mmCIF file with all atom_site columns, all heavy atoms in Angstrom:
data_model
loop_
_atom_site.group_PDB
_atom_site.id
_atom_site.type_symbol
_atom_site.label_atom_id
_atom_site.label_alt_id
_atom_site.label_comp_id
_atom_site.label_asym_id
_atom_site.label_entity_id
_atom_site.label_seq_id
_atom_site.pdbx_PDB_ins_code
_atom_site.Cartn_x
_atom_site.Cartn_y
_atom_site.Cartn_z
_atom_site.occupancy
_atom_site.B_iso_or_equiv
_atom_site.pdbx_formal_charge
_atom_site.auth_seq_id
_atom_site.auth_comp_id
_atom_site.auth_asym_id
_atom_site.auth_atom_id
_atom_site.pdbx_PDB_model_num
ATOM 1  N N   . ASP A 1 284 ? 50.009 -2.920 -22.735 1.00 0.00 ? 284 ASP A N   1
ATOM 2  C CA  . ASP A 1 284 ? 50.326 -1.632 -23.313 1.00 0.00 ? 284 ASP A CA  1
ATOM 3  C C   . ASP A 1 284 ? 49.218 -0.672 -22.931 1.00 0.00 ? 284 ASP A C   1
ATOM 4  O O   . ASP A 1 284 ? 48.075 -0.800 -23.364 1.00 0.00 ? 284 ASP A O   1
ATOM 5  C CB  . ASP A 1 284 ? 50.386 -1.798 -24.861 1.00 0.00 ? 284 ASP A CB  1
ATOM 6  C CG  . ASP A 1 284 ? 50.666 -0.475 -25.557 1.00 0.00 ? 284 ASP A CG  1
ATOM 7  O OD1 . ASP A 1 284 ? 50.582 0.557  -24.908 1.00 0.00 ? 284 ASP A OD1 1
ATOM 8  O OD2 . ASP A 1 284 ? 50.888 -0.534 -26.764 1.00 0.00 ? 284 ASP A OD2 1
ATOM 9  N N   . ALA A 1 286 ? 48.295 1.991  -23.882 1.00 0.00 ? 286 ALA A N   1
ATOM 10 C CA  . ALA A 1 286 ? 47.579 2.721  -24.981 1.00 0.00 ? 286 ALA A CA  1
ATOM 11 C C   . ALA A 1 286 ? 47.070 1.745  -26.057 1.00 0.00 ? 286 ALA A C   1
ATOM 12 O O   . ALA A 1 286 ? 46.745 2.171  -27.147 1.00 0.00 ? 286 ALA A O   1
ATOM 13 C CB  . ALA A 1 286 ? 48.562 3.720  -25.598 1.00 0.00 ? 286 ALA A CB  1
ATOM 14 N N   . GLY A 1 287 ? 47.016 0.480  -25.768 1.00 0.00 ? 287 GLY A N   1
ATOM 15 C CA  . GLY A 1 287 ? 46.644 -0.506 -26.791 1.00 0.00 ? 287 GLY A CA  1
ATOM 16 C C   . GLY A 1 287 ? 45.178 -0.380 -27.201 1.00 0.00 ? 287 GLY A C   1
ATOM 17 O O   . GLY A 1 287 ? 44.372 0.340  -26.576 1.00 0.00 ? 287 GLY A O   1
ATOM 18 N N   . GLU A 1 288 ? 44.806 -1.137 -28.288 1.00 0.00 ? 288 GLU A N   1
ATOM 19 C CA  . GLU A 1 288 ? 43.433 -1.004 -28.806 1.00 0.00 ? 288 GLU A CA  1
ATOM 20 C C   . GLU A 1 288 ? 42.444 -1.889 -28.229 1.00 0.00 ? 288 GLU A C   1
ATOM 21 O O   . GLU A 1 288 ? 41.246 -1.898 -28.574 1.00 0.00 ? 288 GLU A O   1
ATOM 22 C CB  . GLU A 1 288 ? 43.486 -1.145 -30.347 1.00 0.00 ? 288 GLU A CB  1
ATOM 23 C CG  . GLU A 1 288 ? 44.060 -2.470 -30.918 1.00 0.00 ? 288 GLU A CG  1
ATOM 24 C CD  . GLU A 1 288 ? 45.584 -2.444 -31.043 1.00 0.00 ? 288 GLU A CD  1
ATOM 25 O OE1 . GLU A 1 288 ? 46.245 -2.396 -29.980 1.00 0.00 ? 288 GLU A OE1 1
ATOM 26 O OE2 . GLU A 1 288 ? 46.097 -2.459 -32.156 1.00 0.00 ? 288 GLU A OE2 1
ATOM 27 N N   . GLY A 1 289 ? 42.812 -2.763 -27.321 1.00 0.00 ? 289 GLY A N   1
ATOM 28 C CA  . GLY A 1 289 ? 41.860 -3.696 -26.709 1.00 0.00 ? 289 GLY A CA  1
ATOM 29 C C   . GLY A 1 289 ? 41.951 -3.770 -25.193 1.00 0.00 ? 289 GLY A C   1
ATOM 30 O O   . GLY A 1 289 ? 42.928 -3.332 -24.632 1.00 0.00 ? 289 GLY A O   1
ATOM 31 N N   . ARG A 1 328 ? 44.828 -3.141 -20.509 1.00 0.00 ? 328 ARG A N   1
ATOM 32 C CA  . ARG A 1 328 ? 44.780 -2.620 -21.871 1.00 0.00 ? 328 ARG A CA  1
ATOM 33 C C   . ARG A 1 328 ? 45.919 -3.266 -22.642 1.00 0.00 ? 328 ARG A C   1
ATOM 34 O O   . ARG A 1 328 ? 47.054 -3.341 -22.154 1.00 0.00 ? 328 ARG A O   1
ATOM 35 C CB  . ARG A 1 328 ? 44.900 -1.078 -21.880 1.00 0.00 ? 328 ARG A CB  1
ATOM 36 C CG  . ARG A 1 328 ? 44.671 -0.448 -23.178 1.00 0.00 ? 328 ARG A CG  1
ATOM 37 C CD  . ARG A 1 328 ? 44.310 0.984  -23.054 1.00 0.00 ? 328 ARG A CD  1
ATOM 38 N NE  . ARG A 1 328 ? 42.899 1.216  -22.847 1.00 0.00 ? 328 ARG A NE  1
ATOM 39 C CZ  . ARG A 1 328 ? 41.959 1.181  -23.792 1.00 0.00 ? 328 ARG A CZ  1
ATOM 40 N NH1 . ARG A 1 328 ? 42.262 0.842  -25.001 1.00 0.00 ? 328 ARG A NH1 1
ATOM 41 N NH2 . ARG A 1 328 ? 40.706 1.416  -23.535 1.00 0.00 ? 328 ARG A NH2 1
ATOM 42 N N   . VAL A 1 329 ? 45.626 -3.825 -23.852 1.00 0.00 ? 329 VAL A N   1
ATOM 43 C CA  . VAL A 1 329 ? 46.654 -4.572 -24.601 1.00 0.00 ? 329 VAL A CA  1
ATOM 44 C C   . VAL A 1 329 ? 46.682 -4.061 -26.022 1.00 0.00 ? 329 VAL A C   1
ATOM 45 O O   . VAL A 1 329 ? 45.645 -3.649 -26.601 1.00 0.00 ? 329 VAL A O   1
ATOM 46 C CB  . VAL A 1 329 ? 46.367 -6.076 -24.611 1.00 0.00 ? 329 VAL A CB  1
ATOM 47 C CG1 . VAL A 1 329 ? 46.630 -6.691 -23.214 1.00 0.00 ? 329 VAL A CG1 1
ATOM 48 C CG2 . VAL A 1 329 ? 44.924 -6.415 -25.048 1.00 0.00 ? 329 VAL A CG2 1
#
Side-chain angles (χ1 to χ4, degrees):
D284 176 350
E288 58 274 69
R328 189 161 273 284
V329 288

